[in-house]
């Protein structure tokens, strides 16, 4: 089966909605591939995400609208610009020996096969074979994706290089990946224990931050930055975007510094001057570690505020219900389910916004909350839907209130290895199902 890539178009930033979150891709390519008598549409996107313990380059290849192959930046990515992807056999298990290579990958020219652990030496990096390719080799990645499809191996050893056309339009991916099965399946824990855990989570939160009511918690300990993000709605929205992959205090001061560098924080001017925004964020010193991603998010947010909310970020939430605000925030590039849920609680608890229907404010599902919910028996499987449903069932008046204490406990005591259960705030009520959370790492 001969593979030929037809005219390929380079595309700008886009997002893809996974079952649990949106992922942003900074650039990519799409086009048509011919494989024997079959013609398929493909898309190849490049971005970043936390994998194997740190932020790495990340790529996805879609064939016919379905994600087929993923690449992860190697340890030497800064110099090699290469990604690797695990090779799976016909049984969909990773391949550890060349003798077990699936028919479609045997000897394909241009596809370098390496040991995954040699390319990424990190916790949970598997000991298996992987394909290693340059990140911008769209031809190689599409060829690998076509060869790696279950039951669709290639017998050819060549692929025709495409002609690449330039394009600058921003695109959104509306294809949805199929929902994955729950990771892990455990025996349910008695309701009495679950409710005791929830009550202790709420008690810990109130001991730490005061009563569960509107407007009682500071956004950040930096007084000047706190005042600014309280008074300026657009600054608050930008702080939410900055709050990823950097310390909390740095993220929430970033809008104030950005205003100082630009001389304003006007959505109209920001939307009109993307290069100036990029330079202001890049510094020196840089306002964020993602100096390519954050400027795109900021400019995109400014355009969205102008186009959909009359230039006023406060219109996103003011006078709206929690369910509406949650969906509106989730629609911004750079804000996922996790950040939308977090932002709702911040609006209500820190900015004193009168948002109705806070029973629709869900927990922000991240690695710390997942580990705590699993080890305390609040859920019987590692899936976001289960975490959200458990919070709604066990604390229906304000499900999102379980998120801040779970995050702190997961970070401080309920760590992946050697959790300090005797010191933990939940020590007296937790069933200590430690093994259920041992594999919960990453983001």
């Amino acid at each position: 089966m001969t593979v030929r890539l037809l005219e390929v178009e380079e595309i700008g930033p886009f997002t893809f909605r996974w079952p649990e979150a949106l992922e942003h891709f900074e650039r990519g390519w799409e086009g048509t591939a011919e494989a024997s008598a079959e013609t398929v549409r493909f898309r190849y996107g490049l971005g970043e995400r936390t994998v194997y313990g740190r932020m790495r380059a990340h790529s996805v290849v879609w064939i016919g609208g379905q994600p087929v192959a993923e690449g992860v930046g190697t340890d030497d990515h800064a110099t090699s610009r290469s990604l690797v992807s695990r090779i799976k056999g016909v049984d969909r298990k990773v391949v550890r020996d060349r003798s077990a290579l699936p028919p479609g990958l045997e000897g394909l020219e241009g596809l370098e096969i390496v040991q995954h652990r040699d390319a990424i030496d990190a916790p949970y990096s598997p000991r298996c074979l992987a394909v290693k390719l340059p990140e911008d080799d769209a031809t190689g990645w599409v060829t690998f994706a076509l060869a790696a499809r279950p039951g669709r191996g290639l017998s050819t050893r060549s692929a025709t290089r495409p002609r690449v056309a330039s394009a600058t339009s921003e695109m959104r991916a509306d294809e949805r990946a199929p929902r994955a099965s729950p990771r892990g399946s455990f025996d349910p824990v008695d309701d009495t224990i679950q409710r005791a855990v929830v009550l202790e989570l709420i008690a810990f939160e109130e001991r730490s931050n005061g009563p569960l009511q509107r407007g009682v918690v500071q956004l950040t300990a930096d007084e000047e930055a706190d005042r600014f993000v309280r008074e300026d709605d657009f600054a608050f929205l930008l702080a939410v975007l900055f709050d990823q992959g950097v310390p909390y205090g740095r993220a929430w001061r970033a809008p104030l510094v950005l205003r100082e560098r630009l001389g304003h924080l006007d959505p109209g001017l920001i939307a009109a001057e993307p290069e100036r925004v990029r330079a202001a964020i890049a510094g020196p010193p840089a306002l964020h570690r993602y100096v390519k991603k954050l400027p795109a998010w900021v400019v995109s947010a400014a355009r969205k505020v102008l186009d959909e909310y009359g230039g006023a970020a406060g219109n996103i939430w003011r006078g709206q219900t929690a369910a509406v605000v949650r969906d509106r925030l989730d629609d911004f590039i750079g804000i996922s389910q996790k950040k939308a849920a977090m932002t709702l609680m911040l609006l209500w608890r820190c900015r004193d916004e009168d948002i109705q229907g806070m029973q629709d404010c869900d927990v922000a599902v991240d690695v710390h909350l997942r580990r705590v919910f699993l080890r305390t028996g609040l859920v019987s499987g590692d899936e976001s839907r289960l975490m959200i449903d458990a919070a709604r069932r066990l604390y229906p008046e304000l499900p999102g209130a379980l998120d801040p204490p779970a995050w702190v406990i997961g970070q401080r005591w309920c760590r992946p290895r050697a959790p300090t259960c005797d010191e933990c705030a939940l020590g007296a009520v937790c069933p200590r199902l430690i093994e259920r959370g041992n594999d919960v790492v990453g983001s």
Side-chain angles (χ1 to χ4, degrees), residues 235-258:
F236 173 83
L237 179 64
L238 294 191
V240 172
L241 294 175
F242 275 93
D243 192 2
Q244 180 167 323
V246 296
Y248 184 84
R250 179 182 175 186
W252 286 80
R253 185 170 177 80
L256 181 64
V257 180
L258 183 60

Side-chain angles (χ1 to χ4, degrees), residues 192-207 378 394-395 397 402 426 429:
T192 303
I193 296 176
Q194 291 183 335
R195 296 190 185 282
V197 169
V198 166
L199 289 176
E200 195 57 41
L201 281 169
I202 296 301
F204 174 72
E205 171 63 15
E206 292 190 325
R207 288 196 303 271
L378 296 184
L394 294 165
Y395 202 68
E397 56 267 46
L402 299 180
L426 299 179
V429 296

Side-chain angles (χ1 to χ4, degrees), residues 228 232 234-236 238 254-260 262-270 298:
F228 184 47
D232 190 299
F234 189 60
F236 173 83
L238 294 191
L256 181 64
V257 180
L258 183 60
R259 185 186 65 170
E260 293 171 355
L262 293 174
H264 66 83
L265 211 62
D266 180 84
L269 294 176
I270 286 176
V298 168

Side-chain angles (χ1 to χ4, degrees), residues 120 220 222 260 273 351:
I120 300 177
T220 175
D222 184 319
E260 293 171 355
E273 301 174 337
R351 282 186 111 237

Side-chain angles (χ1 to χ4, degrees), residues 201-224:
L201 281 169
I202 296 301
F204 174 72
E205 171 63 15
E206 292 190 325
R207 288 196 303 271
S208 303
N209 295 312
L212 276 179
Q213 59 189 48
R214 284 169 46 194
V216 299
V217 181
Q218 275 189 290
L219 279 161
T220 175
D222 184 319
E223 296 289 345
E224 185 181 18

